[in-house]
Amino acid sequence: MTGRRWYAPWLFLAPALTVAVTFFIVPFGNTVVLSFTDAATLGGGQFTGLANYQRLLGDSEFWLSLRNTALYVVVVVPLMVVLPLLVAVLVQRRIAGVGFFRAVFYSPVVASMVVAGLIWSWLLSSDGLVNSLLRGLHLVAEPLPFLTDSTLLLFSAMAMTVWKGLGYYMVVYLAALANVPRSLLEAAEVDGAGAVRRFMSVTVPLLRPTMVLVATLSAIASAKVFAEVYTLSDGSAGPGGEARTLVYTIREAGLGLSGEAGYASAMSLALFLGTLGLSVFVTRLNSREHQV
């Protein structure tokens, strides 16, 4: 009877496997195949070997978007690792009204990207709240071009990313902080360690795996950033598209009836390999630190 039911586990896995194969594995395989062709949006195309990848090496727009994406990762990831942890420590305490502050910090997570983009566009416009405050405090004479200068636009998008993801990673850290043994903190307090010393010597080392997880997830999300730049710039990615990211460039390459699906697929595969390499690097770095 047992031998006849060998298929039972596969029946439970079938729905998830069907979704994974249909929406992840097959599209990924199709992207790999297309990256070696000159296929257009409407299909067709001939096998071109490594021509698309050779084209990437000489494409100035690709290198510009790669530089902007790398800058995005370098700036956003450390902030995503540190700021949510500090917020989680603050709202971890069981005091009156702490639930309200947890909800406030988490509310941007559930807001749609369109709504978030409208809010930040209003805040950072030339006559928006931020410029009004800066001018009211006499810190600037003219409004800062947060949405029209390519550099400021990119950093504004970074601020929006941190604002929107802060609450999500705060919840991750709250779950990890709940597992920190109180006995270790109390022992450190008995030894005379202050709050900061207990945090740095006891809490942070125990949270290292969670911090690596947050760094990996935020790095992947930052490498795939698109909506922030698109919404803040009304789809232009700044003057001359100077604030473009890799995903934005991939979209532009494959957009429309005359889009180059093969070339866009090659850029997509390059982004995948870069993201995979970044994830492996962070994981290996953490493993070596544990070994030391």
Side-chain angles (χ1 to χ4, degrees), residues 22 59 61 74 85 88 99 116 134 150 159 165 179 192 225 236 246 266 288:
T22 304
D59 189 346
E61 291 186 354
V74 169
L85 175 58
L134 293 176
S150 58
N179 293 323
V225 67
S236 65
L246 268 176
R288 290 181 180 179

Side-chain angles (χ1 to χ4, degrees), residues 1 54 67 80 118 122 139 141 160 168 223 262 265 267 279:
M1 183 65 67
Q54 292 174 349
R67 184 196 68 186
M80 281 299 198
L118 290 174
W122 172 74
L139 297 177
M160 180 177 168
Y168 176 81
S265 297
M267 284 192 286
S279 303

Side-chain angles (χ1 to χ4, degrees), residues 9 11 40 52 122 134-135 150 158 200 206 240 247 259 265-266 272-273:
L11 293 178
N52 286 326
W122 172 74
L134 293 176
R135 296 178 69 182
S150 58
M158 294 176 189
M200 297 301 299
L206 293 175
V247 175
S265 297
F272 167 76
L273 294 176

Side-chain angles (χ1 to χ4, degrees), residues 84-109:
L85 175 58
L86 298 179
V87 172
V89 171
L90 291 176
V91 301
Q92 182 193 23
R93 302 176 181 274
R94 295 185 177 181
I95 57 177
V98 70
F100 169 77
F101 290 102
R102 291 183 180 181
V104 169
F105 283 119
Y106 190 78
S107 57
V109 178

Side-chain angles (χ1 to χ4, degrees), residues 31-283:
T31 299
V32 174
V33 173
L34 286 176
S35 68
F36 295 101
T37 69
D38 59 355
T41 303
L42 296 179
Q46 302 293 326
F47 178 77
T48 58
L50 298 176
N52 286 326
Y53 296 97
Q54 292 174 349
R55 178 181 171 185
L56 283 179
L57 298 178
D59 189 346
S60 59
E61 291 186 354
F62 170 75
W63 289 108
L64 173 63
S65 60
L66 180 62
R67 184 196 68 186
N68 290 338
T69 302
L71 178 63
Y72 215 98
V73 172
V74 169
V75 173
V76 169
V77 172
L79 294 176
M80 281 299 198
V81 172
V82 175
L83 293 182
L85 175 58
L86 298 179
V87 172
V89 171
L90 291 176
V91 301
Q92 182 193 23
R93 302 176 181 274
R94 295 185 177 181
I95 57 177
V98 70
F100 169 77
F101 290 102
R102 291 183 180 181
V104 169
F105 283 119
Y106 190 78
S107 57
V109 178
V110 299
S112 71
M113 188 57 70
V114 174
V115 173
L118 290 174
I119 293 173
W120 278 80
S121 295
W122 172 74
L123 288 174
L124 300 176
S125 63
S126 59
D127 57 348
L129 179 61
V130 175
N131 273 312
S132 297
L133 287 175
L134 293 176
R135 296 178 69 182
L137 295 174
H138 303 289
L139 297 177
V140 296
E142 298 293 333
L144 295 178
F146 290 109
L147 305 180
T148 54
D149 180 82
S150 58
T151 302
L152 289 178
L153 174 61
L154 196 62
F155 280 96
S156 299
M158 294 176 189
M160 180 177 168
T161 298
V162 173
W163 171 79
K164 200 166 188 323
L166 184 67
Y168 176 81
Y169 295 114
M170 176 197 72
V171 172
V172 174
Y173 278 126
L174 282 174
L177 286 170
N179 293 323
V180 175
R182 295 292 305 172
S183 59
L184 295 179
L185 296 173
E186 292 170 356
E189 186 176 5
V190 170
D191 289 340
V196 176
R197 183 61 182 274
R198 293 197 302 272
F199 175 73
M200 297 301 299
S201 300
V202 178
T203 305
V204 171
L206 293 175
L207 292 182
R208 185 181 297 276
T210 305
M211 295 174 72
V212 173
L213 173 64
V214 170
T216 303
L217 294 177
S218 59
I220 294 173
S222 299
K224 299 188 299 180
V225 67
F226 167 77
E228 290 89 334
V229 175
Y230 187 85
T231 55
L232 290 181
S233 65
D234 290 330
S236 65
E242 291 293 316
R244 65 177 62 240
T245 59
L246 268 176
V247 175
Y248 184 94
T249 303
I250 292 170
R251 174 186 177 273
E252 290 295 304
L255 187 66
L257 298 179
S258 59
E260 301 175 281
Y263 187 53
S265 297
M267 284 192 286
S268 299
L269 193 58
L271 174 60
F272 167 76
L273 294 176
T275 305
L276 179 62
L278 182 62
S279 303
V280 172
F281 171 76
V282 173
T283 304

